[in-house]
Each structure stands twice: as C-alpha cells, then as structure tokens.
Amino acid sequence: MKNPDAMGPLLGLLDELLEPVHTAGRADLAGRLGVARARLADPRVRLVVVGESKSGMSTLVNSLVGTPVSATEGQLSVPVVAEYGEQATATLVRVAAGGRAERQVVDAEYALNALSEGVIRAEYTAPSPLLAEGFVVLDAPGSPAETPATWSLLAVADAVLYVADAVKPFTADQINQLKRIQQVCPTVICVLNKIDQYPQWPQVQQHDRRLLDAAELAFAVAPASARLHQQAMTSGDQQLDLESGVPQLLDHLRDYVLGRADVVAAEAAVRDIGLITDHLALSLRTEAETLRDPRRYSVITEQLRRTREEAEQLRQRSANWQVTLADGAGELMADTEHDLRHRLRSLIRDAEADIMQRDPARRWPEFGAELDAKICEAVEENFVIAHYRSVELAEQVAAKFPDRGIPTPELRLDNPGEVGAVLEPVAPIDTLDSAKPSVTQQALSALRGSYGGILMVGLATSLLGMSLVNWYSAGAGVLLGVNALWDDRKARRQRRQAEAKVAVARLMDDVIFQVSKESRYRLRGVQRSLRDHFTEIANETLRSVDASLRAAEEAAAVHSGQRREQRLTEIETSLVRLRDLRERADTQGDARPY
C-alpha cells in the first residue's frame, strides 16, 4: 500500500484543514476534502501484466500473487483481476441474455477449470503478501499485438509489467509496441522470463537495454524465472528463490511502482489543499477588506457580483467550456471511429489485393495470423490516438475557465472490475470451405472435358471412314481435357478468392463493431468525468463568491470599532493558518523524490 510514513503528513494536513472548512460552512469543500483524503489513503496500485504469447506470463502472474489465478498450459484464458482478501474467493463474470454481465461465485480451487466460452473475466481475492501491500494485479490474455482487449486493461493501469521470454532480444515490433504502451501508461517494467531455460539471457538483457535506450524508453529490464520461483516456494530453498529473480522483481515493484504512486497521490493532495485554501481565503479577504474600509463596500460587492455572474454562466449549458466539451467529445468519438474504420478499410484493401495475387488456400492460416497482427496494431494506434485526444480535450476545456490554474482530472477508468465487460473476444477468421480439389476430383474434371473432345472429333472423322477413337480424336480429347482441368482450377480459385474476401469482410465487421463499442464506452466515460469535474469546480467557485458576498454584507453591518478590530484579528489568524497549511503542503510536495 502507499507508504503510511510518507502519506502521514499530508493526511494530517487534510485533517487539519477540515476544521476551517466546517467553520466556513462549506459542505462542498468538505466533500472534496473527503475525496482527496480517501484517494490519498487508498492503497490500491493497479498493475497490468501483458506480454508475448508463450512467454510464461500466466505462470509469472501466479508466482507474484502466490496462488493459481491465471490459466496456463494451453487452458482457455480470460482477463483476470486479483485483489487482496482475507479469504480466497473466485467470481466468474459471464455474458447473460441481452448482453448483460452475470456474476457467478465459484470455489477458488475449481475456478480455472470452470472457464468456458461464455466467461468474459475472472475476479479473485486472495490473502497474498503482494496484494496485501495494495497491488491489484490484472492479467491480460495474450499479447497486445494479438488481443485488442488488452488495451482496455491498459486504460486502468497505474503500472505495466511487460513479459517476454529471454530467448532473444526485443524485435522492432515489440519496441514500437512498448512506445505505444508508454504513451498510455508511462510506468513500465520489462521482465525477461524463463532465464533458467536460456543461458544467454545476460547478453539478451544487455541488448534489450541498448534497444530501449536507443528508443528513449527508460524502462528497467528485470530477469526472472517464474518456474524456479514456484519450485523454491515448494521446497523452501531460499537460494533457488534468489536465483529465480522474482524476489528482486517484487522489491523493485515496491520501491519503484509504489514510490511513483506516492508521488502522484501527493501531487493530487497538494493541488486539492491549494484549491480549498484559495476558496476559504477568498471570503476571509473580502470580509477583512470591507472591515478595514466600509466605504468600499459597494465597490467590493459590485466586483463580487460580476464574478458571481461569470461563475453562474460557467454553470449554464451554454457556457464556453460546456460547448467545448460537448463539441469536442462528439468530434473525438467521430474522429476515433473514422480513424479506426480508415485503418481497417486500408487493411481490407491490402488483404484483398494479396488474396487476388495467389490462391488463398495455400497459406490461409498464415494469412489469418498476419491479418490478426495488423488488426491489433491498428487498434493499438487507434487507442493511443484516442487517449491523446482525450488529454487535449481536457486541456481545451480547462482553458475556458478564467482561472488558468485549475487542475484537469486523471483520465483513467476507476473500476478495474469493469474491464472486459464491454470488449468481447472477436472470433478468428473463417476457414475456407471450398478447399483445394483432390486428385480424384481433378481427374474427373479432365475426363469430362476429354470425353467431349473425343466424341466431337471422332464423329467428324468417322465421316472419312475412320474409327470413333483415333489419333485426331484422342489428341482433341487431351487438349480439351487439359483446358477443362485449367478452367476448373481457375473457377475453384476464383471461388476461394471470393470466399476469402467475404471472410475478411466479416472479420473486419466484427472488429469494427466490438472496438467501436468499447471505444464509445470509454470516451463517454471520459466525457462524464470531464463534465462532473469541471461542473464541480464551477459550483465551488459560485459558492465561494456567495460566501464572500455574505461576508461583505456582515462586515458592512459591523459599526462597533472594538468588534471590527476583534474580527480583523480573527480573520488574520485564520489567513495565517491557511497560508501555513498551504506552505506546508507545498513543502511536502517539493520534498518528494521523483
């Protein structure tokens, strides 16, 4: 979990700020304070594990969690979410009638064997030491280059564990994939698994580091062997466990990932403390200014009323930021879907051109695998573009507020349990029914063609007194038989090409339907998050201005000089306290290592 010693001072500042918030009667700021405290005290750090197929990723996940939660050895695999719980539990989420998600609690021991085509994810709780520290482990089924659903998991990640086996260095495709992952989640750790099987792993590790440095990716490359770790846990051999590299990986996760989580949480808490103290100080300064010079009451209230009108306008649906958000969200959804369709249509054209160049039956499985990889790459790039455009939209909306220093929300899905509920797996490309003809079928086609040739030429030559079967009719039969065989092969090939085009089109329709649905779901979540965030800021600004107006009116009604001086002393004490809280929060933020 987040370091209690590191979070303690900031939690104390939030608790200390609660008293002046209640004194000012600001229930809205008290609510923000409660959310900030809950976020700071929340121990959860969502670790998404992705990797190449056959890299031992599921075995590594089971080793990290300390109990089998991810399917291995060719079993059916689905997204897995593992959180801490005092008792081991397992829940399977299935697709019910009407597309609803239906949860089924099962025995943890039999959960892996209970997976079927209808299961869209598995959720576990376990009394695991790693999970007890606050990690929520999300296991993605398959490589990001093979499974578009993996990018839904990356949308909730605080950190990513990228697993590859130690047999060879990263390829250019893997480096490009890591660049795209970094654009969505900057905290990435690479794991070289199966070091017990590949003695050349030190050279591979050095090569990988050079490749990452050349790509300007500052990722750690950690060697590990999940299999050795499991053997060490069974035998109690600590030396073997150290050789597995898993304890060192766990230490790195605690020091690096949890450390970065502390920094992010602290930055958010410091921003909230600054925002709340500014709101409280506004009414106090207004009251103090009115008490010092009651003659300026009308000027002060006029300024506040103009500010109130501006704040009230921010709440209207016609406000600039509301229009910018609505238009931007609509354009974002349309552009994201257009980008996806454009990429997939380009793939369709390339696939059809490839199909027309040769007989698709000769290498249909390889063709399907290559097309799947290209589709996943297109989905990855589309996902990254949507993420960046969402961040740009948040900045554009924030720019419409008079105060340029307002924070933008973190655009991540909040609930890892929702992962996989939208993006269902896409069926692989269809097989070709009109397969290549057998030798018998080809012989029959040739015989049918040659029979006609022998009959026609034989009848013509019989008028000259020759037999029905002669050299001329036999030659004609051979020529027409070869032509019939050629025509039959050409017709069959054209049928297979047409069938292959239909299969590609059907696959692309499925991909567009599933990915577009998931993309719209995610982008609608972004729109709701931005709307709620900026609406709350507008409401808080309006309440602060109203509180300032009331404070000015109360100050103008004070006629006693003694009472005025006493109230000014109280206000100055409160402002000094708020200033002190703000400075201590800034100091805590600046003192954090990055």
Side-chain angles (χ1 to χ4, degrees):
M1 62 183 64
K2 295 184 177 72
N3 188 344
D5 296 333
M7 296 297 104
L10 282 174
L11 288 171
L13 290 176
L14 290 172
D15 292 339
E16 193 174 342
L17 188 56
L18 191 60
E19 181 185 344
V21 167
H22 284 317
T23 301
R26 295 296 301 274
D28 57 324
L29 296 182
R32 176 179 283 274
L33 203 59
V35 171
R37 196 187 193 290
R39 183 172 58 237
L40 191 64
D42 184 4
R44 295 190 306 169
V45 176
R46 291 162 290 193
L47 178 67
V48 175
V49 185
V50 300
E52 298 300 309
S53 298
K54 310 299 181 183
S55 63
M57 180 176 63
S58 297
T59 305
L60 180 63
V61 168
N62 293 337
S63 296
L64 294 176
V65 175
T67 187
V69 296
S70 187
T72 58
E73 302 298 334
Q75 293 173 280
L76 181 66
S77 183
V78 297
V80 169
V81 181
E83 298 187 71
Y84 176 76
E86 295 183 359
Q87 300 294 329
T89 65
T91 303
L92 301 181
V93 182
R94 304 178 184 274
V95 178
R100 295 180 299 101
E102 184 178 77
R103 304 170 63 84
Q104 177 188 8
V105 179
V106 298
D107 191 287
E109 286 187 29
Y110 301 101
L112 294 177
N113 298 324
L115 297 182
S116 66
E117 293 294 340
V119 176
I120 56 177
R121 72 176 179 274
E123 300 173 358
Y124 293 88
T125 63
S128 160
L130 179 71
L131 301 182
E133 294 183 38
F135 281 101
V136 179
V137 177
L138 297 93
D139 178 23
S143 165
E146 299 173 353
T147 312
T150 297
W151 290 89
S152 292
L153 290 171
L154 293 173
V156 304
D158 295 309
V160 174
L161 211 60
Y162 184 87
V163 184
D165 59 31
V167 62
K168 61 181 180 180
F170 292 140
T171 63
D173 289 339
Q174 287 175 308
I175 293 295
N176 290 332
Q177 190 177 97
L178 285 168
K179 287 181 179 179
R180 287 191 285 269
I181 291 174
Q182 185 202 35
Q183 291 171 338
V184 177
C185 179
T187 306
V188 181
I189 300 170
C190 299
V191 179
L192 288 184
N193 198 16
K194 302 182 180 179
I195 59 174
D196 57 318
Q197 300 179 29
Y198 305 110
Q200 74 274 20
W201 70 262
Q203 292 79 21
V204 173
Q205 183 185 33
Q206 292 177 2
H207 195 170
D208 284 341
R209 281 176 175 159
R210 288 195 294 270
L211 291 172
L212 292 171
D213 290 341
E216 299 182 351
L217 298 173
F219 300 160
V221 182
S225 171
R227 190 174 65 87
L228 285 184
H229 177 69
Q230 289 183 338
Q231 292 178 0
M233 291 296 97
T234 303
S235 62
D237 189 337
Q238 294 185 356
Q239 182 60 35
L240 183 64
D241 195 24
L242 290 175
E243 292 176 4
S244 73
V246 174
Q248 294 90 322
L249 175 61
L250 291 171
D251 289 340
H252 186 68
L253 288 174
R254 295 184 183 100
D255 297 339
Y256 178 67
V257 175
L258 288 180
R260 287 181 70 101
D262 287 349
V263 170
V264 172
E267 288 177 344
V270 170
R271 285 196 301 269
D272 286 328
I273 289 174
L275 192 64
I276 292 171
T277 54
D278 286 345
H279 280 292
L280 293 177
L282 177 62
S283 61
L284 291 174
R285 290 195 185 101
T286 300
E287 184 179 359
E289 191 174 352
T290 305
L291 287 171
R292 291 192 184 100
D293 189 358
R295 292 170 297 179
R296 297 191 68 245
Y297 170 71
S298 59
V299 176
I300 293 172
T301 53
E302 181 61 28
Q303 292 175 345
L304 287 174
R305 287 193 178 94
R306 285 199 298 267
T307 304
R308 190 186 190 287
E309 290 176 1
E310 294 175 358
E312 184 65 40
Q313 289 173 1
L314 289 175
R315 300 177 62 195
Q316 305 300 321
R317 290 190 178 273
S318 58
N320 284 339
W321 75 268
Q322 294 268 26
V323 175
T324 299
L325 176 59
D327 292 346
E331 291 175 3
L332 177 57
M333 290 184 189
D335 291 348
T336 300
E337 185 159 358
H338 173 77
D339 177 79
L340 176 67
R341 290 180 179 273
H342 174 72
R343 292 177 187 275
L344 294 184
R345 282 182 177 177
S346 298
L347 289 182
I348 291 175
R349 287 193 294 268
D350 294 342
E352 289 181 345
D354 189 22
I355 288 170
M356 295 306 296
Q357 289 178 358
R358 60 179 65 88
D359 188 348
R362 293 180 179 176
R363 51 185 303 274
W364 188 244
E366 294 81 2
F367 175 85
E370 293 171 2
L371 184 59
D372 285 344
K374 292 176 181 177
I375 290 173
C376 286
E377 183 178 356
V379 172
E380 290 175 14
E381 293 173 352
N382 179 260
F383 185 97
V384 172
I385 288 174
H387 177 76
Y388 264 117
R389 288 285 305 277
S390 299
V391 175
E392 290 177 357
L393 177 60
E395 293 171 351
Q396 290 169 5
V397 175
K400 297 299 180 181
F401 280 73
D403 183 4
R404 300 295 182 181
I406 65 172
T408 56
E410 185 179 5
L411 298 179
R412 294 194 185 278
L413 297 179
D414 293 328
N415 186 5
E418 293 299 322
V419 173
V422 176
L423 187 58
E424 299 173 6
V426 176
I429 194 168
D430 296 340
T431 57
L432 296 181
D433 294 331
S434 56
K436 225 176 160 184
S438 64
V439 175
T440 303
Q441 289 174 323
Q442 295 181 59
L444 290 174
S445 297
L447 285 174
R448 282 193 294 268
S450 62
Y451 173 76
I454 291 173
L455 186 60
M456 287 188 297
V457 176
L459 289 174
T461 55
S462 65
L463 298 176
L464 301 176
M466 300 176 69
S467 62
L468 183 65
V469 178
N470 54 65
W471 288 107
Y472 299 103
S473 64
V478 171
L479 289 175
L480 290 180
V482 171
N483 183 69
L485 180 60
W486 176 260
D487 288 343
D488 181 69
R489 286 183 174 180
K490 184 178 179 181
R492 286 179 179 272
R493 174 180 171 178
Q494 290 175 344
R495 258 197 322 272
R496 286 193 293 272
Q497 289 173 334
E499 187 180 341
K501 289 182 180 180
V502 172
V504 170
R506 186 180 296 116
L507 174 64
M508 292 300 185
D509 284 343
D510 288 345
V511 172
I512 290 175
F513 175 75
Q514 291 294 343
V515 177
S516 296
K517 181 177 69 170
E518 194 273 344
S519 180
R520 286 193 297 270
Y521 169 82
R522 187 176 66 252
L523 295 178
R524 279 197 298 269
V526 168
Q527 183 180 10
R528 285 193 296 268
S529 176
L530 293 177
R531 181 197 62 205
D532 295 344
H533 174 78
F534 289 110
T535 297
E536 183 60 26
I537 287 178
N539 289 336
E540 289 172 353
T541 302
L542 183 63
R543 294 186 187 107
S544 294
V545 174
D546 286 340
S548 298
L549 281 169
R550 287 195 301 271
E553 291 172 359
E554 293 172 359
V558 176
H559 300 293
S560 170
Q562 182 178 1
R563 173 62 185 142
R564 183 180 296 112
E565 292 299 325
Q566 181 181 358
R567 181 56 185 158
L568 280 172
T569 302
E570 293 174 355
I571 292 174
E572 187 61 32
T573 301
S574 298
L575 287 173
V576 168
R577 183 181 181 186
L578 290 176
R579 191 181 308 116
D580 177 63
L581 283 170
R582 177 73 175 269
E583 290 174 353
R584 281 191 286 158
D586 291 339
T587 302
Q588 287 292 326
D590 294 339
R592 298 199 163 276
Y594 288 85

